[in-house]
PDB file of all heavy atoms in Angstrom:
ATOM      1  N   ILE A 249     -49.401   7.736  34.943  1.00  0.00           N
ATOM      2  CA  ILE A 249     -48.022   7.492  34.526  1.00  0.00           C
ATOM      3  C   ILE A 249     -47.088   8.281  35.441  1.00  0.00           C
ATOM      4  O   ILE A 249     -47.228   9.500  35.582  1.00  0.00           O
ATOM      5  CB  ILE A 249     -47.804   7.908  33.060  1.00  0.00           C
ATOM      6  CG1 ILE A 249     -48.870   7.285  32.149  1.00  0.00           C
ATOM      7  CG2 ILE A 249     -46.403   7.528  32.604  1.00  0.00           C
ATOM      8  CD1 ILE A 249     -48.864   5.793  32.133  1.00  0.00           C
ATOM      9  N   GLU A 250     -46.152   7.593  36.037  1.00  0.00           N
ATOM     10  CA  GLU A 250     -45.191   8.253  36.910  1.00  0.00           C
ATOM     11  C   GLU A 250     -44.174   9.029  36.070  1.00  0.00           C
ATOM     12  O   GLU A 250     -43.882   8.658  34.925  1.00  0.00           O
ATOM     13  CB  GLU A 250     -44.479   7.237  37.793  1.00  0.00           C
ATOM     14  CG  GLU A 250     -45.411   6.477  38.741  1.00  0.00           C
ATOM     15  CD  GLU A 250     -46.118   7.409  39.728  1.00  0.00           C
ATOM     16  OE1 GLU A 250     -45.578   8.480  40.057  1.00  0.00           O
ATOM     17  OE2 GLU A 250     -47.236   7.057  40.174  1.00  0.00           O
ATOM     18  N   PRO A 251     -43.587  10.104  36.633  1.00  0.00           N
ATOM     19  CA  PRO A 251     -42.667  10.955  35.865  1.00  0.00           C
ATOM     20  C   PRO A 251     -41.500  10.200  35.240  1.00  0.00           C
ATOM     21  O   PRO A 251     -41.096  10.495  34.111  1.00  0.00           O
ATOM     22  CB  PRO A 251     -42.189  11.973  36.911  1.00  0.00           C
ATOM     23  CG  PRO A 251     -43.268  12.021  37.929  1.00  0.00           C
ATOM     24  CD  PRO A 251     -43.839  10.638  37.976  1.00  0.00           C
ATOM     25  N   ASP A 252     -40.948   9.211  35.968  1.00  0.00           N
ATOM     26  CA  ASP A 252     -39.808   8.469  35.434  1.00  0.00           C
ATOM     27  C   ASP A 252     -40.197   7.679  34.190  1.00  0.00           C
ATOM     28  O   ASP A 252     -39.389   7.549  33.257  1.00  0.00           O
ATOM     29  CB  ASP A 252     -39.258   7.510  36.496  1.00  0.00           C
ATOM     30  CG  ASP A 252     -38.552   8.247  37.629  1.00  0.00           C
ATOM     31  OD1 ASP A 252     -38.262   9.446  37.445  1.00  0.00           O
ATOM     32  OD2 ASP A 252     -38.305   7.630  38.687  1.00  0.00           O
ATOM     33  N   GLU A 253     -41.414   7.141  34.165  1.00  0.00           N
ATOM     34  CA  GLU A 253     -41.871   6.393  32.995  1.00  0.00           C
ATOM     35  C   GLU A 253     -42.196   7.326  31.839  1.00  0.00           C
ATOM     36  O   GLU A 253     -41.898   7.017  30.677  1.00  0.00           O
ATOM     37  CB  GLU A 253     -43.108   5.563  33.342  1.00  0.00           C
ATOM     38  CG  GLU A 253     -43.634   4.732  32.175  1.00  0.00           C
ATOM     39  CD  GLU A 253     -44.900   3.966  32.496  1.00  0.00           C
ATOM     40  OE1 GLU A 253     -45.343   3.991  33.666  1.00  0.00           O
ATOM     41  OE2 GLU A 253     -45.463   3.351  31.567  1.00  0.00           O
ATOM     42  N   LEU A 254     -42.772   8.464  32.147  1.00  0.00           N
ATOM     43  CA  LEU A 254     -43.168   9.404  31.086  1.00  0.00           C
ATOM     44  C   LEU A 254     -41.958  10.057  30.447  1.00  0.00           C
ATOM     45  O   LEU A 254     -41.909  10.214  29.214  1.00  0.00           O
ATOM     46  CB  LEU A 254     -44.105  10.464  31.661  1.00  0.00           C
ATOM     47  CG  LEU A 254     -44.666  11.487  30.670  1.00  0.00           C
ATOM     48  CD1 LEU A 254     -45.504  10.799  29.593  1.00  0.00           C
ATOM     49  CD2 LEU A 254     -45.506  12.533  31.402  1.00  0.00           C
ATOM     50  N   GLY A 255     -40.976  10.452  31.265  1.00  0.00           N
ATOM     51  CA  GLY A 255     -39.802  11.129  30.731  1.00  0.00           C
ATOM     52  C   GLY A 255     -40.182  12.362  29.935  1.00  0.00           C
ATOM     53  O   GLY A 255     -41.008  13.175  30.369  1.00  0.00           O
ATOM     54  N   GLU A 256     -39.620  12.472  28.736  1.00  0.00           N
ATOM     55  CA  GLU A 256     -39.950  13.589  27.844  1.00  0.00           C
ATOM     56  C   GLU A 256     -41.174  13.294  26.994  1.00  0.00           C
ATOM     57  O   GLU A 256     -41.542  14.082  26.128  1.00  0.00           O
ATOM     58  CB  GLU A 256     -38.754  13.907  26.936  1.00  0.00           C
ATOM     59  CG  GLU A 256     -37.540  14.438  27.673  1.00  0.00           C
ATOM     60  CD  GLU A 256     -37.859  15.718  28.440  1.00  0.00           C
ATOM     61  OE1 GLU A 256     -38.402  16.657  27.825  1.00  0.00           O
ATOM     62  OE2 GLU A 256     -37.572  15.770  29.646  1.00  0.00           O
ATOM     63  N   GLY A 257     -41.782  12.152  27.245  1.00  0.00           N
ATOM     64  CA  GLY A 257     -42.976  11.770  26.497  1.00  0.00           C
ATOM     65  C   GLY A 257     -42.870  10.340  26.011  1.00  0.00           C
ATOM     66  O   GLY A 257     -41.772   9.825  25.764  1.00  0.00           O
ATOM     67  N   LEU A 258     -44.023   9.664  25.886  1.00  0.00           N
ATOM     68  CA  LEU A 258     -44.064   8.310  25.358  1.00  0.00           C
ATOM     69  C   LEU A 258     -44.247   8.370  23.846  1.00  0.00           C
ATOM     70  O   LEU A 258     -45.122   9.084  23.349  1.00  0.00           O
ATOM     71  CB  LEU A 258     -45.220   7.531  25.994  1.00  0.00           C
ATOM     72  CG  LEU A 258     -45.201   7.434  27.527  1.00  0.00           C
ATOM     73  CD1 LEU A 258     -46.458   6.704  28.012  1.00  0.00           C
ATOM     74  CD2 LEU A 258     -43.958   6.734  28.017  1.00  0.00           C
ATOM     75  N   ARG A 259     -43.414   7.623  23.119  1.00  0.00           N
ATOM     76  CA  ARG A 259     -43.499   7.576  21.662  1.00  0.00           C
ATOM     77  C   ARG A 259     -43.655   6.124  21.222  1.00  0.00           C
ATOM     78  O   ARG A 259     -42.805   5.280  21.526  1.00  0.00           O
ATOM     79  CB  ARG A 259     -42.238   8.161  21.009  1.00  0.00           C
ATOM     80  CG  ARG A 259     -42.070   9.666  21.204  1.00  0.00           C
ATOM     81  CD  ARG A 259     -40.846  10.160  20.448  1.00  0.00           C
ATOM     82  NE  ARG A 259     -40.713  11.613  20.536  1.00  0.00           N
ATOM     83  CZ  ARG A 259     -39.788  12.336  19.904  1.00  0.00           C
ATOM     84  NH1 ARG A 259     -38.907  11.714  19.121  1.00  0.00           N
ATOM     85  NH2 ARG A 259     -39.745  13.642  20.049  1.00  0.00           N
ATOM     86  N   TYR A 260     -44.732   5.843  20.496  1.00  0.00           N
ATOM     87  CA  TYR A 260     -44.992   4.489  20.034  1.00  0.00           C
ATOM     88  C   TYR A 260     -45.248   4.492  18.523  1.00  0.00           C
ATOM     89  O   TYR A 260     -45.831   5.437  17.983  1.00  0.00           O
ATOM     90  CB  TYR A 260     -46.210   3.894  20.744  1.00  0.00           C
ATOM     91  CG  TYR A 260     -46.024   3.717  22.233  1.00  0.00           C
ATOM     92  CD1 TYR A 260     -46.815   4.422  23.136  1.00  0.00           C
ATOM     93  CD2 TYR A 260     -45.069   2.840  22.742  1.00  0.00           C
ATOM     94  CE1 TYR A 260     -46.654   4.262  24.507  1.00  0.00           C
ATOM     95  CE2 TYR A 260     -44.901   2.673  24.102  1.00  0.00           C
ATOM     96  CZ  TYR A 260     -45.699   3.385  24.978  1.00  0.00           C
ATOM     97  OH  TYR A 260     -45.537   3.222  26.327  1.00  0.00           O
ATOM     98  N   VAL A 261     -44.828   3.417  17.870  1.00  0.00           N
ATOM     99  CA  VAL A 261     -45.099   3.245  16.449  1.00  0.00           C
ATOM    100  C   VAL A 261     -45.570   1.810  16.235  1.00  0.00           C
ATOM    101  O   VAL A 261     -45.075   0.879  16.878  1.00  0.00           O
ATOM    102  CB  VAL A 261     -43.842   3.538  15.581  1.00  0.00           C
ATOM    103  CG1 VAL A 261     -42.681   2.614  15.943  1.00  0.00           C
ATOM    104  CG2 VAL A 261     -44.170   3.433  14.099  1.00  0.00           C
ATOM    105  N   ALA A 262     -46.541   1.640  15.360  1.00  0.00           N
ATOM    106  CA  ALA A 262     -47.048   0.296  15.061  1.00  0.00           C
ATOM    107  C   ALA A 262     -47.508   0.232  13.619  1.00  0.00           C
ATOM    108  O   ALA A 262     -48.034   1.203  13.070  1.00  0.00           O
ATOM    109  CB  ALA A 262     -48.202  -0.068  15.990  1.00  0.00           C
ATOM    110  N   HIS A 263     -47.289  -0.923  13.015  1.00  0.00           N
ATOM    111  CA  HIS A 263     -47.820  -1.208  11.680  1.00  0.00           C
ATOM    112  C   HIS A 263     -49.031  -2.109  11.848  1.00  0.00           C
ATOM    113  O   HIS A 263     -48.944  -3.173  12.480  1.00  0.00           O
ATOM    114  CB  HIS A 263     -46.764  -1.901  10.828  1.00  0.00           C
ATOM    115  CG  HIS A 263     -47.343  -2.633   9.661  1.00  0.00           C
ATOM    116  ND1 HIS A 263     -47.238  -4.006   9.500  1.00  0.00           N
ATOM    117  CD2 HIS A 263     -48.050  -2.191   8.592  1.00  0.00           C
ATOM    118  CE1 HIS A 263     -47.844  -4.371   8.392  1.00  0.00           C
ATOM    119  NE2 HIS A 263     -48.354  -3.295   7.823  1.00  0.00           N
ATOM    120  N   THR A 264     -50.180  -1.680  11.335  1.00  0.00           N
ATOM    121  CA  THR A 264     -51.393  -2.485  11.416  1.00  0.00           C
ATOM    122  C   THR A 264     -52.224  -2.312  10.147  1.00  0.00           C
ATOM    123  O   THR A 264     -52.105  -1.298   9.460  1.00  0.00           O
ATOM    124  CB  THR A 264     -52.303  -2.072  12.598  1.00  0.00           C
ATOM    125  OG1 THR A 264     -52.834  -0.756  12.335  1.00  0.00           O
ATOM    126  CG2 THR A 264     -51.568  -2.075  13.919  1.00  0.00           C
ATOM    127  N   PRO A 265     -53.079  -3.283   9.872  1.00  0.00           N
ATOM    128  CA  PRO A 265     -54.148  -3.019   8.908  1.00  0.00           C
ATOM    129  C   PRO A 265     -55.173  -2.096   9.563  1.00  0.00           C
ATOM    130  O   PRO A 265     -55.246  -2.014  10.792  1.00  0.00           O
ATOM    131  CB  PRO A 265     -54.742  -4.405   8.646  1.00  0.00           C
ATOM    132  CG  PRO A 265     -54.452  -5.184   9.884  1.00  0.00           C
ATOM    133  CD  PRO A 265     -53.144  -4.653  10.416  1.00  0.00           C
ATOM    134  N   CYS A 266     -55.907  -1.396   8.750  1.00  0.00           N
ATOM    135  CA  CYS A 266     -56.968  -0.507   9.227  1.00  0.00           C
ATOM    136  C   CYS A 266     -58.235  -0.839   8.436  1.00  0.00           C
ATOM    137  O   CYS A 266     -58.166  -1.102   7.232  1.00  0.00           O
ATOM    138  CB  CYS A 266     -56.598   0.956   9.010  1.00  0.00           C
ATOM    139  SG  CYS A 266     -55.012   1.444   9.742  1.00  0.00           S
ATOM    140  N   PHE A 267     -59.362  -0.783   9.122  1.00  0.00           N
ATOM    141  CA  PHE A 267     -60.625  -1.175   8.493  1.00  0.00           C
ATOM    142  C   PHE A 267     -61.648  -0.063   8.668  1.00  0.00           C
ATOM    143  O   PHE A 267     -61.950   0.333   9.794  1.00  0.00           O
ATOM    144  CB  PHE A 267     -61.146  -2.464   9.144  1.00  0.00           C
ATOM    145  CG  PHE A 267     -60.156  -3.591   9.116  1.00  0.00           C
ATOM    146  CD1 PHE A 267     -59.276  -3.792  10.170  1.00  0.00           C
ATOM    147  CD2 PHE A 267     -60.094  -4.449   8.025  1.00  0.00           C
ATOM    148  CE1 PHE A 267     -58.353  -4.819  10.148  1.00  0.00           C
ATOM    149  CE2 PHE A 267     -59.168  -5.484   7.987  1.00  0.00           C
ATOM    150  CZ  PHE A 267     -58.300  -5.677   9.057  1.00  0.00           C
ATOM    151  N   ARG A 268     -62.181   0.428   7.566  1.00  0.00           N
ATOM    152  CA  ARG A 268     -63.157   1.521   7.617  1.00  0.00           C
ATOM    153  C   ARG A 268     -64.273   1.267   6.604  1.00  0.00           C
ATOM    154  O   ARG A 268     -64.015   0.897   5.455  1.00  0.00           O
ATOM    155  CB  ARG A 268     -62.493   2.872   7.339  1.00  0.00           C
ATOM    156  CG  ARG A 268     -61.404   3.209   8.352  1.00  0.00           C
ATOM    157  CD  ARG A 268     -60.796   4.563   8.125  1.00  0.00           C
ATOM    158  NE  ARG A 268     -59.671   4.778   9.018  1.00  0.00           N
ATOM    159  CZ  ARG A 268     -58.899   5.866   9.012  1.00  0.00           C
ATOM    160  NH1 ARG A 268     -59.131   6.839   8.140  1.00  0.00           N
ATOM    161  NH2 ARG A 268     -57.893   5.975   9.863  1.00  0.00           N
ATOM    162  N   SER A 269     -65.483   1.521   7.056  1.00  0.00           N
ATOM    163  CA  SER A 269     -66.622   1.286   6.163  1.00  0.00           C
ATOM    164  C   SER A 269     -66.755   2.386   5.125  1.00  0.00           C
ATOM    165  O   SER A 269     -67.421   2.211   4.115  1.00  0.00           O
ATOM    166  CB  SER A 269     -67.913   1.196   6.984  1.00  0.00           C
ATOM    167  OG  SER A 269     -68.276   2.464   7.490  1.00  0.00           O
ATOM    168  N   GLU A 270     -66.101   3.537   5.376  1.00  0.00           N
ATOM    169  CA  GLU A 270     -66.182   4.693   4.473  1.00  0.00           C
ATOM    170  C   GLU A 270     -67.629   5.091   4.242  1.00  0.00           C
ATOM    171  O   GLU A 270     -68.057   5.378   3.119  1.00  0.00           O
ATOM    172  CB  GLU A 270     -65.497   4.397   3.136  1.00  0.00           C
ATOM    173  CG  GLU A 270     -63.999   4.170   3.245  1.00  0.00           C
ATOM    174  CD  GLU A 270     -63.222   5.395   3.659  1.00  0.00           C
ATOM    175  OE1 GLU A 270     -63.812   6.489   3.699  1.00  0.00           O
ATOM    176  OE2 GLU A 270     -62.029   5.266   3.962  1.00  0.00           O
ATOM    177  N   ALA A 271     -68.406   5.100   5.326  1.00  0.00           N
ATOM    178  CA  ALA A 271     -69.816   5.501   5.230  1.00  0.00           C
ATOM    179  C   ALA A 271     -69.916   6.929   4.709  1.00  0.00           C
ATOM    180  O   ALA A 271     -69.200   7.810   5.137  1.00  0.00           O
ATOM    181  CB  ALA A 271     -70.476   5.402   6.603  1.00  0.00           C
ATOM    182  N   GLY A 272     -70.800   7.128   3.764  1.00  0.00           N
ATOM    183  CA  GLY A 272     -71.025   8.471   3.227  1.00  0.00           C
ATOM    184  C   GLY A 272     -70.040   8.894   2.167  1.00  0.00           C
ATOM    185  O   GLY A 272     -70.101  10.022   1.674  1.00  0.00           O
ATOM    186  N   SER A 273     -69.098   8.001   1.794  1.00  0.00           N
ATOM    187  CA  SER A 273     -68.085   8.406   0.807  1.00  0.00           C
ATOM    188  C   SER A 273     -68.305   7.761  -0.554  1.00  0.00           C
ATOM    189  O   SER A 273     -67.408   7.745  -1.378  1.00  0.00           O
ATOM    190  CB  SER A 273     -66.689   8.029   1.317  1.00  0.00           C
ATOM    191  OG  SER A 273     -66.556   6.629   1.433  1.00  0.00           O
ATOM    192  N   TYR A 274     -69.487   7.221  -0.777  1.00  0.00           N
ATOM    193  CA  TYR A 274     -69.756   6.548  -2.044  1.00  0.00           C
ATOM    194  C   TYR A 274     -69.614   7.528  -3.203  1.00  0.00           C
ATOM    195  O   TYR A 274     -70.098   8.654  -3.167  1.00  0.00           O
ATOM    196  CB  TYR A 274     -71.159   5.941  -2.031  1.00  0.00           C
ATOM    197  CG  TYR A 274     -71.329   4.927  -0.925  1.00  0.00           C
ATOM    198  CD1 TYR A 274     -72.036   5.244   0.227  1.00  0.00           C
ATOM    199  CD2 TYR A 274     -70.729   3.678  -1.019  1.00  0.00           C
ATOM    200  CE1 TYR A 274     -72.160   4.329   1.257  1.00  0.00           C
ATOM    201  CE2 TYR A 274     -70.849   2.752   0.006  1.00  0.00           C
ATOM    202  CZ  TYR A 274     -71.564   3.086   1.145  1.00  0.00           C
ATOM    203  OH  TYR A 274     -71.674   2.186   2.161  1.00  0.00           O
ATOM    204  N   GLY A 275     -68.907   7.064  -4.237  1.00  0.00           N
ATOM    205  CA  GLY A 275     -68.667   7.922  -5.392  1.00  0.00           C
ATOM    206  C   GLY A 275     -67.373   8.688  -5.309  1.00  0.00           C
ATOM    207  O   GLY A 275     -66.934   9.275  -6.291  1.00  0.00           O
ATOM    208  N   ARG A 276     -66.714   8.673  -4.142  1.00  0.00           N
ATOM    209  CA  ARG A 276     -65.448   9.397  -3.974  1.00  0.00           C
ATOM    210  C   ARG A 276     -64.288   8.414  -4.026  1.00  0.00           C
ATOM    211  O   ARG A 276     -64.235   7.462  -3.277  1.00  0.00           O
ATOM    212  CB  ARG A 276     -65.418  10.137  -2.632  1.00  0.00           C
ATOM    213  CG  ARG A 276     -66.474  11.217  -2.480  1.00  0.00           C
ATOM    214  CD  ARG A 276     -66.432  11.796  -1.076  1.00  0.00           C
ATOM    215  NE  ARG A 276     -65.113  12.330  -0.750  1.00  0.00           N
ATOM    216  CZ  ARG A 276     -64.669  12.517   0.488  1.00  0.00           C
ATOM    217  NH1 ARG A 276     -65.423  12.184   1.506  1.00  0.00           N
ATOM    218  NH2 ARG A 276     -63.476  13.016   0.696  1.00  0.00           N
ATOM    219  N   ASP A 277     -63.342   8.649  -4.923  1.00  0.00           N
ATOM    220  CA  ASP A 277     -62.115   7.852  -4.994  1.00  0.00           C
ATOM    221  C   ASP A 277     -62.406   6.363  -5.071  1.00  0.00           C
ATOM    222  O   ASP A 277     -61.756   5.549  -4.401  1.00  0.00           O
ATOM    223  CB  ASP A 277     -61.214   8.145  -3.783  1.00  0.00           C
ATOM    224  CG  ASP A 277     -60.819   9.605  -3.705  1.00  0.00           C
ATOM    225  OD1 ASP A 277     -60.500  10.179  -4.748  1.00  0.00           O
ATOM    226  OD2 ASP A 277     -60.838  10.162  -2.597  1.00  0.00           O
ATOM    227  N   THR A 278     -63.378   5.988  -5.874  1.00  0.00           N
ATOM    228  CA  THR A 278     -63.734   4.571  -5.958  1.00  0.00           C
ATOM    229  C   THR A 278     -62.724   3.798  -6.806  1.00  0.00           C
ATOM    230  O   THR A 278     -62.673   2.575  -6.716  1.00  0.00           O
ATOM    231  CB  THR A 278     -65.134   4.400  -6.562  1.00  0.00           C
ATOM    232  OG1 THR A 278     -65.191   5.069  -7.827  1.00  0.00           O
ATOM    233  CG2 THR A 278     -66.195   4.978  -5.639  1.00  0.00           C
TER     234      THR A 278
END
Side-chain angles (χ1 to χ4, degrees):
I249 309 298
E250 298 298 333
D252 289 346
E253 181 183 355
L254 183 61
E256 294 301 308
L258 303 177
R259 292 184 176 184
Y260 296 116
V261 60
H263 160 243
T264 68
C266 305
F267 305 92
R268 300 183 186 177
S269 71
E270 295 293 351
S273 64
Y274 300 104
R276 297 175 57 201
D277 300 318
T278 55

